[in-house]
Structure formats: structure tokens, C-alpha cells
Amino acid sequence: MNGANHQMLSRRALAHDSASLRATWERLKDVMAPGALDPLVKELLYIAVSVTNGCDYCIHSNTAAARAKGMTDAQYIELLAVIGMAAQTNPLVTAMKVPVDKEFQV
């Protein structure tokens, strides 16, 4: 998420509690800063979790941030396909109680 998105979130939702606002803002800057994961990858992950959680605000703000970091239309379409596939297969495997194969266990 870019600074403008963070500021809008802050004013709308957290402005009533300055301690929470500061803590959230600092944690968000820390987590989304460049690190072992590329900043675009972080935005894509944020979009995926936001879609799963149904957070329209985060979907839109992080999609805008991902586009600003170079996400193409093809990448966005592929991201949505992966999210959709996981949303379809996860409940099936969970409902069927499919055990984790030994080679996949971490």
C-alpha cells in the first residue's frame, strides 16, 4: 500500500485512537517495506488475503499499490485465477479430510 492509501485508512478507521493508529501505521510500514520478498509480491499476497477476507477497501487500495509497483493486467488476471482455484480446492480438501502427504509436510 502506498502512503496515500495508509493515510486514508488511518483517517477513516483509526483516527479515534492515536496509539492504535501509530502502532498500525508503523507495523504496516515495516511489513510492507522491501525485504526478503519483493514489494510487488507483498502487495499480491495482501490482495490474496484481502479477497479471502472480503475486505473491499484493502482489495482496491492494494491493487492500486500493486499496479504502481508494476503489476500488469496479465499478472492481475493470473493472481485472481490462483485465488479462485485455492478458494475452490481448499474447502473440498478440508471437507474430505485429505491427509498431508509426507513429502509436503514442513
Side-chain angles (χ1 to χ4, degrees):
M1 290 172 51
N2 64 30
N5 291 333
H6 292 290
Q7 290 171 355
M8 290 174 61
L9 174 62
S10 302
R11 283 194 300 261
R12 291 181 181 176
L14 299 174
H16 67 282
D17 183 351
S18 61
S20 290
L21 172 60
R22 261 191 316 282
T24 301
W25 174 245
E26 290 305 316
R27 180 72 179 134
L28 197 49
K29 287 193 306 184
D30 237 13
V31 168
M32 297 305 284
L37 293 175
D38 178 88
L40 177 56
V41 170
K42 290 184 178 191
E43 295 296 347
L44 297 175
L45 289 167
Y46 214 116
I47 294 166
V49 173
S50 299
V51 168
T52 301
N53 290 333
C55 180
D56 285 340
Y57 182 91
C58 294
I59 293 166
H60 288 277
S61 63
N62 289 96
T63 297
R67 288 192 186 283
K69 289 178 174 71
M71 180 183 72
T72 65
D73 288 342
Q75 287 174 314
Y76 189 60
I77 290 166
E78 195 167 325
L79 171 66
L80 295 178
V82 171
I83 294 168
M85 187 83 267
Q88 178 184 352
T89 59
N90 287 184
L92 290 172
V93 172
T94 300
M96 293 186 286
K97 299 186 186 294
V98 176
V100 177
D101 297 329
K102 286 183 184 180
E103 64 266 22
F104 298 146
Q105 293 181 3
V106 290

